[in-house]
Amino acid sequence: MDRLLSVNTLNRVWIHAFLFFSATASAIQYSKADAVEEFEIKPNSGIKSYDASTDEIHCRFTIKVQGGTSERWRIAISRGDDNTFACVVGRPGDSDSYLFFEKFDLLASSTLGKITVREGELRSNGGEVLSNKEFKIDEGRMHSVGGSFKNALSRVSLLATLEKASKNKEL
């Protein structure tokens, strides 16, 4: 019974965390993020990667884009409590995007331990939340799914935890 209670409690915590994440990811204040990098996406320039890092977490956004015009984007890392963090990639000011994304990959990593992506969200122009069938979460990353991804993005967000490696030393 105690185990069931703790699993139910944990599930409720994650549901509340994701609801908070969903509400705040679209309104993230880049000035209060732990790390922010701004970059320009140029269409028809092959596969490109863009990065942001803190002392514990690294997020890398890799894309292949065609069509549209050059656009300014940001990648940000915001840490929460209990080793929870968000990686958010999007247009400044929630602007629409006119790029055609062939594919994307948002990777979270750390040298301090294992990253587990708990939730992910894609948004298109106008803040429309896209179907979770358009992406897959595995191995500390979320990425587009060939045949299901509809090539439109204005924001990519993931919520993850860092499980720090224990430092047990034998004497």
Side-chain angles (χ1 to χ4, degrees):
M1 182 76 168
D2 288 336
R3 171 126 172 89
L4 181 59
L5 179 61
S6 64
V7 169
N8 286 338
T9 301
L10 184 61
N11 286 339
R12 276 197 308 266
V13 168
W14 276 110
I15 289 167
H16 289 285
F18 186 68
L19 291 174
F20 173 77
F21 167 70
S22 295
T24 58
S26 62
I28 189 170
Q29 295 180 16
Y30 290 98
S31 63
K32 294 184 179 180
D34 294 290
V36 178
E37 296 295 332
E38 204 163 297
F39 56 94
E40 186 170 344
I41 298 178
K42 296 178 182 180
N44 305 316
S45 57
I47 296 173
K48 295 288 183 185
S49 294
Y50 307 94
D51 302 275
S53 296
T54 68
D55 56 336
E56 295 183 338
I57 301 160
H58 180 86
C59 292
R60 171 171 280 174
F61 183 55
T62 302
I63 54 171
K64 185 171 183 187
V65 175
Q66 64 179 357
T69 60
S70 295
E71 296 178 352
R72 299 294 306 160
W73 282 66
R74 290 181 181 154
I75 182 169
I77 301 171
S78 292
R79 287 189 263 190
D81 297 331
D82 298 327
N83 297 321
T84 303
F85 66 93
C87 290
V88 180
V89 181
R91 299 286 320 275
D94 291 327
S95 301
D96 288 347
S97 175
Y98 300 98
L99 296 170
F100 182 89
F101 288 82
E102 289 185 38
K103 59 184 174 180
F104 77 89
D105 183 274
L106 181 56
L107 170 70
S109 62
S110 177
T111 58
L112 299 178
K114 181 182 178 187
I115 298 288
T116 302
V117 177
R118 300 293 183 180
E119 301 289 342
E121 182 181 80
L122 299 181
R123 289 187 181 247
S124 186
N125 293 338
E128 175 189 357
V129 177
L130 300 175
S131 168
N132 61 0
K133 294 178 182 176
E134 294 190 48
F135 66 91
K136 184 176 179 182
I137 294 174
D138 60 17
E139 307 274 335
R141 68 178 0 114
M142 62 183 285
H143 56 89
S144 53
V145 173
S148 296
F149 177 54
K150 296 187 175 57
N151 311 100
L153 288 178
S154 64
R155 181 175 299 276
V156 181
S157 308
L158 65 79
L159 177 67
T161 55
L162 168 59
E163 182 182 325
K164 293 182 180 179
S166 63
K167 296 181 179 181
N168 292 338
K169 295 181 182 179
E170 292 183 31
L171 298 175

